[in-house]
Amino acid sequence: MPLWLFVFLAALAVLAALGVVLQRNPVHCLMALVVVLLDLAVMFIGLGAVTVGFLQAIVYVGAIMVLFLFVIWLLNLQTEERRVAGSIGLRFFGAVGAAALVAELCVFVVKAPSTAGLSHVPPTFGSIGAIAEALFTDYLIAFEATSLLLLVAVIGAVALARRATASRTRSPVPVSPAVHEQIGARQ
Amino acid sequence: MTAFNLAAIDIAWLPICPLIIVGVSAMAVLLAGVRVRDDESQGLGVLTLALIALAFVFALGLLGQSGIAFAGAIAADNFAVFFELVILISAALVVLMSIDYLPAFGLSAAEYYALLLFSTFGMMLMATGGDLIVIFIGFEVMSISVYVLAGFLRRSLKSNEAALKYFVMGAFSTAFLLYGIALVYGATGTIKLGPIRAALSNPMAGNPLLLSGIGLMLVGFGFKVAAVPFHMWTPDAYEGAPTPVTAFMAVGVKLGAFAGFIRIFMVHLGPVSPDWSIVLWVIAAFTMTVGNLVALVQVNIKRMLAYSAIAHAGYILVGMTAAGSQAGGAILYYLLGYAFTNLGAFAAVIALERRGVESDLITNYRGLAVRHPGLAAAMALFLLSLTGVPPLAGFLGKFYIFSAALNAGLVWLVVIAVINSVISAYYYIAVIVAMYMREGEAVVGALGRRPAVITALAVAAIGTVLIGIYPEPYITGALHAFNSAFGAALPRTASILP
């Protein structure tokens, strides 16, 4: 990746990150966060980590951000935007956390070990093809079982969220007359 | 990029045959149930039962094979097959209890049976998994299905509470387990259990990464088997869930979780057992004591059985602390007897349940012996077996586990366990006293007269008695299952057989 492109992407990421913090409308914050994450994905791809870049886009932008949007939408957070900004404790701890992070990053930049001693991985390392090969050979069972896990989650969600009507029963009482009579229970 | 080397995939269909049958059955039942009305769902239950029987036959055929497949990701050894068989028996008994329960309580049958089969699949996968990822995915399939099943009485606040509590606490514990797996992977460089064991043979004791990983995995499994102090969700989840689901939680989930727990800890983390066995010692002691003491004051029989299930997890943990192949065999025998006994007790609870009536109070059992002597006798049998009265299955299970623990030198833990057994007699026998010696108007609901529930009761009673009075084939089978799978890897200990 040429340096000018990296500088451009880095500046864009910082600007968008500031947008996440400084805007008041939670949906706008979220959109700025999407820009940050997509920006990072492009950087990953530019640095050769193609799979990580795609996963960044799919997992963070595709799944997690949509989840955030749903939560904001469900809780209707827009009406509470002013109150959140005023909390002193939140600002204090936010500032402390940010300062700690900056300090940590500075230490890492100053004390970064030289890359000379590291061994080189083959160019296919971490490529989508290599990951697919691992998934469909060594981890085949885990992969297939995961698909069943997702199916279970879908069935479970539908079973719980389905409207609680006496669907699929012909009579208004969800018990067959014979059983109902014998049970003699209050409905 | 090179083309896949398809020949390198170690595909063996036979060892995963029971798993495939159960997984496909779940989907088939779901599809078959699309047009089935919820008040006429008995046929769907019979279909589920037949499919479970099919999987059982295939699992039987796997006995005696090494069963290592998929480059070690699947280990369908005798240990796994033993668990698969007991899990399938439990699932079948739960289906028998559910056949009439579902229409009576208005539960949607297709999803219920499908999720039941999916969770059975998860349990079997946990028992069969040869690496940490497969065991974890089995853990998740099992857990998520059971979270949903716990909330199936959607109009009941208690059922909703049960599902939510179980889900939130369970998801939390899953994170612990996964984090532990990640750290163990980091410390040993592999997720396959065999190589992990090999890596631990090098001096690794005291490696903080490994120790943290083991500790976190211990928490994850501790939640699932309801060990103290990770048991908080148990009574509420057991009380609120539909009773057949409670039975499945008390037996099936415990079987699956212990299968993974034993395989990972007793066998493959065996080389570093000095690091974790003392923790397990303390957890076992607290689990037995807290479970039994709190069970004393329960007035709801489902809550009482929940605390009893906690206490029984403690007895099994005593066996795990003892380590060694004899203790392993003893645990397998114990779990077999526990499955029949506990499922029977829950079947008796179902027989007394009526919709819309608070029927789970122990006071409701007063006078049952006069009105329904057969049901009262069966319930008394199960409670006596849970207490550990000879010659029932529960007695010999405890006997073998305590013998193995004594052989391993855990005298004080066995003393605590025996004292706890005595305490437990108080609350189990209180129910028997209510049934036989108190005047009362115990009412048996229509469910108690349905053939399916009666069959479940009868099968459980026969199992409890048979395993107790004629234990030889079962205990030798359990010892053989454990030894043939792991005997070479474990130190030989003194025999527990008289």
Side-chain angles (χ1 to χ4, degrees):
Chain A
M1 185 157 60
L3 186 63
W4 62 266
L5 185 57
F6 179 79
V7 171
F8 169 72
L9 287 172
L12 186 63
V14 171
L15 274 181
L18 283 174
V20 177
V21 188
L22 296 178
Q23 289 183 99
R24 298 215 136 188
N25 185 326
V27 177
H28 293 170
C29 293
L30 204 61
M31 286 304 142
L33 191 53
V34 168
V35 173
V36 176
L37 295 171
L38 280 178
D39 191 311
L40 288 180
V42 174
M43 275 201 222
F44 279 129
I45 294 171
L47 292 169
V50 179
T51 314
V52 179
F54 278 115
L55 286 181
Q56 167 92 9
I58 294 168
V59 175
Y60 283 93
V61 184
I64 296 182
M65 285 303 117
V66 171
L67 188 69
F68 278 19
L69 261 183
F70 266 117
V71 171
I72 289 174
W73 176 54
L74 283 176
L75 300 182
N76 204 10
L77 282 183
Q78 296 201 27
T79 54
E80 300 187 21
E81 57 191 87
R82 278 165 211 280
R83 228 176 46 198
V84 175
S87 162
I88 304 249
L90 201 64
R91 288 184 171 189
F92 174 73
F93 285 110
V96 170
L101 194 62
V102 168
E104 187 187 348
L105 284 174
C106 287
V107 169
F108 269 113
V109 169
V110 172
K111 294 196 146 190
S114 120
T115 53
L118 299 178
S119 61
H120 283 275
V121 292
T124 54
F125 179 81
S127 70
I128 290 178
I131 288 178
E133 187 158 356
L135 268 188
F136 288 102
T137 54
D138 281 359
Y139 303 102
L140 182 63
I141 281 286
F143 179 78
E144 295 295 340
T146 308
S147 62
L148 217 56
L149 175 62
L150 296 177
L151 180 65
V152 169
V154 171
I155 295 172
V158 172
L160 284 183
R162 207 159 48 89
R163 285 210 311 163
T165 53
S167 57
R168 289 193 283 158
T169 51
R170 205 177 291 148
S171 57
V173 182
V175 181
S176 75
V179 175
H180 183 224
E181 198 176 356
Q182 286 178 6
I183 286 176
R186 283 181 277 132
Q187 289 294 322
Chain B
M1 203 185 92
T2 54
F4 285 155
N5 182 7
L6 285 170
I9 310 177
D10 172 24
I11 290 187
W13 294 105
L14 217 52
I16 54 169
C17 224
L19 282 167
I20 293 177
I21 293 173
V22 173
V24 173
S25 302
M27 296 179 236
V29 166
L30 191 68
L31 289 180
V34 169
R35 298 213 158 270
V36 173
R37 300 211 326 269
D38 287 340
D39 49 353
E40 289 174 0
S41 62
Q42 282 93 343
L44 212 53
V46 175
L47 173 69
T48 311
L49 213 52
L51 292 168
I52 291 175
L54 184 69
F56 188 86
V57 171
F58 274 86
L60 268 183
L62 285 179
L63 276 175
Q65 303 189 5
S66 83
I68 306 292
F70 293 90
I74 289 291
D77 45 27
N78 280 351
F79 172 83
V81 174
F82 185 93
F83 267 102
E84 285 189 348
L85 293 174
V86 185
I87 288 167
L88 286 168
I89 293 172
S90 311
L93 284 173
V94 171
V95 170
L96 276 175
M97 294 179 214
S98 311
I99 282 179
D100 292 308
Y101 185 93
L102 299 187
F105 282 73
L107 272 60
S108 35
E111 291 94 334
Y112 179 94
Y113 288 123
L115 287 169
L116 196 72
L117 285 170
F118 275 129
S119 63
T120 309
F121 172 88
M123 292 159 194
M124 289 165 62
L125 192 63
M126 278 192 89
T128 323
D131 69 35
L132 291 173
I133 291 195
V134 171
I135 291 180
F136 173 75
I137 292 172
F139 188 93
E140 274 299 89
V141 174
M142 167 184 91
S143 304
I144 290 182
S145 317
V146 179
Y147 301 148
V148 178
L149 285 173
F152 244 62
L153 287 167
R154 285 186 300 170
R155 303 217 178 153
S156 149
L157 273 180
K158 276 189 175 171
S159 179
N160 286 328
E161 182 198 351
L164 199 62
K165 262 195 183 147
Y166 194 27
F167 172 64
V168 173
M169 302 292 275
F172 197 56
S173 75
T174 300
F176 277 96
L177 179 66
L178 195 56
Y179 199 2
I181 288 175
L183 292 185
V184 169
Y185 173 57
T188 60
T190 173
I191 53 155
K192 296 202 188 304
L193 287 173
I196 284 180
R197 190 185 159 78
L200 295 181
S201 311
N202 302 324
M204 262 196 117
N207 179 339
L209 206 57
L210 180 72
L211 289 186
S212 329
I214 291 176
L216 290 169
M217 291 204 317
L218 198 63
V219 173
F221 279 112
F223 262 103
K224 230 10 116 186
V225 303
V228 176
F230 316 114
H231 67 291
M232 299 299 182
W233 55 272
T234 317
D236 291 327
Y238 277 33
E239 185 190 357
T243 311
V245 176
T246 311
F248 204 46
M249 284 159 78
V251 176
V253 172
K254 221 154 253 202
L255 281 167
F258 267 116
F261 202 3
I262 292 170
R263 188 188 285 274
I264 293 177
F265 275 80
M266 270 181 86
V267 182
H268 291 100
L269 293 180
V272 289
S273 67
D275 289 332
W276 52 260
S277 62
I278 181 69
V279 182
L280 216 56
W281 195 105
V282 176
I283 292 179
F286 273 104
T287 306
M288 290 184 291
T289 312
V290 172
N292 280 317
L293 288 183
V294 185
L296 288 176
V297 294
Q298 301 303 319
V299 292
N300 181 307
I301 193 143
K302 279 166 86 175
R303 286 184 86 85
M304 188 272 267
L305 286 171
Y307 281 106
S308 137
I310 294 174
H312 281 271
Y315 300 134
I316 298 166
L317 290 175
V318 172
M320 284 188 65
T321 314
S325 51
Q326 297 288 314
I331 292 176
L332 296 197
Y333 176 87
Y334 187 95
L335 282 168
L336 177 67
Y338 173 80
F340 280 107
T341 307
N342 224 17
L343 287 171
F346 278 107
V349 172
I350 288 173
L352 267 84
E353 282 198 338
R354 287 164 297 152
R355 190 176 185 178
V357 182
E358 183 69 38
S359 50
D360 291 333
L361 297 176
I362 293 174
T363 47
N364 289 352
Y365 287 72
R366 287 183 180 163
L368 188 66
V370 180
R371 293 167 151 256
H372 299 278
L375 185 59
M379 185 65 169
L381 180 80
F382 300 131
L383 292 168
L384 289 174
S385 175
L386 284 172
T387 320
V389 172
L392 301 167
F395 165 73
L396 276 175
K398 277 185 188 166
F399 174 78
Y400 290 136
I401 284 190
F402 296 171
S403 312
L406 277 180
N407 288 346
L410 301 169
V411 180
W412 282 107
L413 195 58
V414 173
V415 169
I416 296 173
V418 170
I419 293 174
N420 267 296
S421 287
V422 176
I423 296 174
S424 75
Y426 181 83
Y427 60 84
Y428 290 129
I429 289 173
V431 179
I432 298 179
V433 169
M435 290 191 301
Y436 278 89
M437 297 178 189
R438 297 269 185 274
E439 299 287 317
E441 300 285 309
V443 182
V444 171
L447 287 172
R449 289 188 287 274
R450 311 288 297 181
V453 177
I454 292 173
T455 312
L457 271 169
V459 170
I462 292 170
T464 307
V465 174
L466 189 68
I467 295 167
I469 59 172
Y470 185 48
E472 277 87 350
Y474 305 103
I475 182 66
T476 44
L479 284 167
H480 175 73
F482 200 86
N483 274 323
S484 60
F486 309 126
L490 291 171
R492 293 207 65 78
T493 43
S495 172
I496 51 170
L497 294 178

